[in-house]
Amino acid sequence: MTFYTYDYLQAQQHVTQWVVALGLVLLLLGTLVGAWRYFRQRYRTRSRDLSIIMVLLMAILLGIQWEHYLTSRTTAAQSSQLLPFIQAVAVDHHLKPDQVLVNSTTLADGMIIRFQKRDYQVHLNADNNSYTLTRAHVINHQVLVKDAEVKK
């Protein structure tokens, strides 16, 4: 079972978005160079063909990027509800938010939280404004804790 710390949830970065954006910029530059070479020497169709291929690759990457953006926007909206929940649990049980671990990156009914070496199942009301904790016992005691990487 994987648990996430408060710091990890705060520091989630979407590195893949930067990689795709860099790829789009490189393809755009390649397309511009190919178009410039084609217009400079019109009898060479190789530059034109490469430019068309790059434009098609950019269209595909833009489509992938748009889909990823829509998915990450939905996930970010759901995960933004989780941080205030962790803070509320910490306040209610006189803990620091760093001491509360959750097994989901989004606020969901039935998720497991862990603090003070005990596991609890979360039951949310219909509008996610209140919660009830029920003591839970996990079957697999091997736990992976994902924490934000500290860069020195």
Side-chain angles (χ1 to χ4, degrees):
M1 182 176 286
T2 303
F3 282 93
Y4 304 96
T5 65
Y6 184 79
D7 291 335
Y8 176 83
L9 294 170
Q10 265 188 329
Q12 278 184 335
Q13 297 290 327
H14 300 286
V15 175
T16 56
Q17 287 180 342
W18 287 104
V19 171
V20 172
L22 179 64
L24 283 171
V25 168
L26 291 175
L27 282 172
L28 179 62
L29 290 174
T31 302
L32 292 174
V33 167
W36 176 74
R37 288 183 64 188
Y38 171 69
F39 286 122
R40 194 168 151 243
Q41 299 172 348
R42 290 183 189 258
Y43 63 88
R44 298 182 91 192
T45 59
R46 185 177 66 170
S47 297
R48 182 193 65 191
D49 294 343
L50 287 175
S51 295
I52 291 171
I53 290 171
M54 287 187 197
V55 167
L56 291 174
L57 285 174
M58 279 191 335
I60 291 169
L61 283 177
L62 281 172
I64 291 170
Q65 182 70 10
W66 180 255
E67 182 65 30
H68 186 2
Y69 167 73
L70 293 177
T71 303
S72 65
R73 191 174 72 173
T74 303
T75 303
Q78 291 174 343
S79 64
S80 68
Q81 297 171 347
L82 188 58
L83 294 176
F85 170 75
I86 292 173
Q87 291 171 345
V89 170
V91 167
D92 292 345
H93 295 278
H94 310 291
L95 302 167
K96 295 178 183 176
D98 296 342
Q99 296 172 316
V100 179
L101 304 174
V102 294
N103 78 331
S104 175
T105 56
T106 59
L107 186 61
D109 191 39
M111 71 179 189
I112 306 293
I113 65 170
R114 174 178 280 188
F115 56 89
Q116 296 175 339
K117 298 184 181 181
R118 292 187 177 183
D119 299 321
Y120 298 91
Q121 185 174 15
V122 177
H123 301 285
L124 300 167
N125 70 343
D127 60 356
N128 293 346
N129 283 332
S130 65
Y131 67 92
T132 305
L133 298 180
T134 305
R135 183 84 157 96
H137 301 278
V138 296
I139 295 172
N140 185 359
H141 292 284
Q142 292 180 351
V143 172
L144 171 66
V145 176
K146 289 196 176 182
D147 196 0
E149 294 181 16
V150 179
K151 295 180 181 178
K152 294 181 179 180

